[in-house]
Structure formats: C-alpha cells, structure tokens
C-alpha cells in the first residue's frame, strides 16, 4: 500500500471518528436536555402544588379570619343594640312613663278610686281579709266611710286594714291569710307598663 492510499484511509478514519463523536455528543446533549426538561417539569409541578397549597391555606386562613371578624361584628352589634335599648329605656322611656304614672298617683281622688276598684275586685275573687299599705296623705282620704262602703258590698264579712308607709307612691295590697302581696307602687307600675310596651314593640319588629 502506497503513501497516498494510507493518507486516504487516515482521512476516512478521522472523518468516521468525527462523525461518531458528533453523534455521541448529540445523543449526550439530547439526554441532558431531556433530563433537564424532566427536572424542570418536576420542579414546575412541585412549585404548582406548593402554590396551590399556599393558596388554599391562605384562602382558608382568610375565610377563618373573615368568620372571626363577622362573629366579632355580630357580637359588637348585638351589644350595641342591647346597650342602646337599655340607655333608651333608662333615660327616655322609663322617665316618660314614670312621670305620667306619678301625675296620676298624685291625684288623691284618682288614686282613691283606683284603690277602691282593685280592692273590691280582689275581694270578689278571693274573699280574703286584706291590708292596704298607703302614704299618710292617701290614708286621710281613705276614711271610715270609704272602708264601710267596701265592707257593705260584702255584708261586712271582711276585714280591711289600712297602714301607712313613708314615701310610698301608690299602694300595696296584702293578703293576710295567704301572706302574699300585690305591688301597685310607682316603680313597679312603671316597670310593668314598660315591659308591656317592650313586648308589643318586639312583636311589631318580628312582623
């Protein structure tokens, strides 16, 4: 084999080595790219899952915080309404009712008739002996004639006593036999009228 043929064979060998090297390099590069793509895809999927988890936790946390705020707001609103109603009751409604009732109770003639009617109706239903607790001023109007008028309605078959109490506005009726009493004083009447009014307002609000 001459020198020229040797050179040709060497060139072919070099070319073949180059081609094999390029193929291997391309294959290796492809493997590296595919591996990188898989790794990148895996990282993206993990990142997406983590972001979804964080988003879900954030959403749940926000939901819980909103529920807490809603409950606090509801409680604060309820407390405000309760406090407002109490202040409105104490500063406006109660004084208004009390002033009206007090004027009626200060009228001795009106109070005398009220005491008479309530006493008669109570005795009709119970037939018990009773004691009336009144102010000194009212007792002066409930004289013997007043007592006798009531007794005459029951053929004198009752015992009716009248006692006094300092600073009482209105009166109390005491059942001596059952040891119980009924309070018709200013404070109690005012509270009862307010409760009646409050219940009616509550019914209207529901409607």
């Amino acid at each position: 084999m001459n020198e020229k043929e040797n050179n040709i064979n060497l060139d072919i060998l070099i070319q073949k080595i180059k081609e094999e090297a390029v193929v291997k390099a391309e294959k290796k590069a492809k493997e590296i790219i595919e591996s990188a793509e898989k790794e990148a895809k895996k990282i993206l999927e993990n990142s997406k899952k983590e972001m979804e988890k964080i988003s879900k936790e954030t959403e749940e946390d926000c939901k819980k915080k909103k529920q807490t705020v809603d409950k606090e707001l509801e409680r604060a609103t309820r407390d405000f309404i309760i406090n407002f109603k109490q202040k409105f009751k104490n500063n406006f409604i109660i004084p208004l009712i009390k002033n009206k009732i007090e004027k009626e109770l200060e009228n001795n003639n009106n109070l005398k008739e009220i005491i008479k009617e309530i006493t008669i109706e109570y005795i009709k239903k119970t037939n018990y002996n009773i004691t009336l607790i009144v102010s000194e001023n009212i007792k002066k109007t409930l004289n013997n004639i007043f007592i006798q008028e009531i007794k005459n309605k029951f053929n004198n078959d009752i015992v009716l006593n009248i006692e006094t109490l300092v600073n009482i506005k209105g009166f109390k009726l005491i059942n001596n036999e059952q040891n119980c009493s009924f309070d018709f004083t200013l404070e109690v009447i005012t509270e009862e009228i307010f409760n009646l009014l409050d219940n009616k307002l509550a019914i209207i609000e529901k409607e």
Side-chain angles (χ1 to χ4, degrees):
M1 186 178 291
N2 58 35
E3 184 179 349
K4 184 177 181 179
E5 288 177 345
N6 288 335
N7 288 336
I8 291 171
N9 291 334
L10 182 61
D11 289 339
I12 293 171
L13 180 61
I14 292 171
Q15 184 64 33
K16 186 177 180 181
I17 292 171
K18 284 183 179 180
E19 288 176 355
E20 289 178 354
V22 169
V23 170
K24 288 182 179 179
E26 287 178 349
K27 184 179 179 182
K28 187 65 176 178
K30 186 178 179 181
E31 290 176 354
I32 292 172
I33 291 171
E34 288 178 350
S35 176
E37 286 178 346
K38 288 181 180 179
E39 189 66 24
K41 186 178 180 180
K42 184 178 179 181
I43 291 172
L44 286 173
E45 287 178 351
N46 290 337
S47 297
K48 185 179 178 181
K49 289 179 181 179
E50 188 65 23
M51 287 299 295
E52 288 176 350
K53 181 181 177 183
I54 293 171
S55 177
K56 187 177 180 181
E57 289 176 351
T58 303
E59 185 179 347
E60 290 177 352
D61 187 51
C62 288
K63 188 176 180 180
K64 289 179 181 179
K65 286 181 179 179
K66 184 179 181 301
Q67 290 175 344
T68 301
V69 171
D70 288 343
K71 287 181 180 179
E72 287 298 316
L73 182 60
E74 182 180 349
R75 183 188 61 79
T77 302
R78 184 180 65 251
D79 291 345
F80 171 79
I81 292 173
I82 292 172
N83 291 334
F84 177 79
K85 286 180 69 176
Q86 190 63 38
K87 288 181 180 179
F88 188 69
K89 169 188 173 182
N90 294 336
N91 298 328
F92 182 73
I93 299 296
I94 292 293
L96 186 67
I97 296 173
K98 194 172 184 178
N99 183 58
K100 178 66 177 177
I101 300 299
E102 191 168 17
K103 287 181 179 179
E104 292 296 324
L105 295 179
E106 285 175 350
N107 187 318
N108 289 346
N109 291 328
N110 285 347
L111 183 55
K112 178 181 176 181
E113 289 304 312
I114 292 171
I115 293 174
K116 182 177 178 181
E117 289 179 15
I118 291 177
T119 301
I120 290 172
E121 288 302 314
Y122 183 75
I123 295 174
K124 278 182 182 179
K125 293 178 181 179
T126 62
N127 199 31
Y128 290 127
N129 299 327
I130 63 172
T131 296
L132 294 174
I133 308 294
V134 298
S135 67
E136 187 65 41
N137 190 36
I138 291 299
K139 184 179 179 181
K140 293 176 183 178
T141 66
L142 306 182
N143 50 33
N144 292 332
I145 296 176
F146 169 84
I147 296 174
Q148 194 57 49
E149 284 179 358
I150 295 178
K151 285 186 174 183
N152 288 341
K153 288 184 175 292
F154 302 97
N155 298 319
N156 291 313
D157 193 27
I158 63 165
V159 175
L160 176 60
N161 299 313
I162 298 178
E163 298 179 3
T164 60
L165 184 64
V166 178
N167 295 327
I168 186 173
K169 293 182 179 180
F171 69 100
K172 292 183 180 182
L173 187 152
I174 299 176
N175 183 324
N176 295 316
E177 296 183 28
Q178 291 191 335
N179 195 28
C180 62
S181 65
F182 300 88
D183 199 320
F184 299 93
T185 56
L186 176 62
E187 299 296 336
V188 172
I189 294 174
T190 299
E191 189 67 27
E192 288 297 324
I193 291 177
F194 172 80
N195 290 337
L196 181 63
L197 178 63
D198 194 43
N199 290 335
K200 286 187 176 180
L201 289 175
I203 293 173
I204 293 172
E205 288 176 0
K206 289 180 180 179
E207 293 176 349

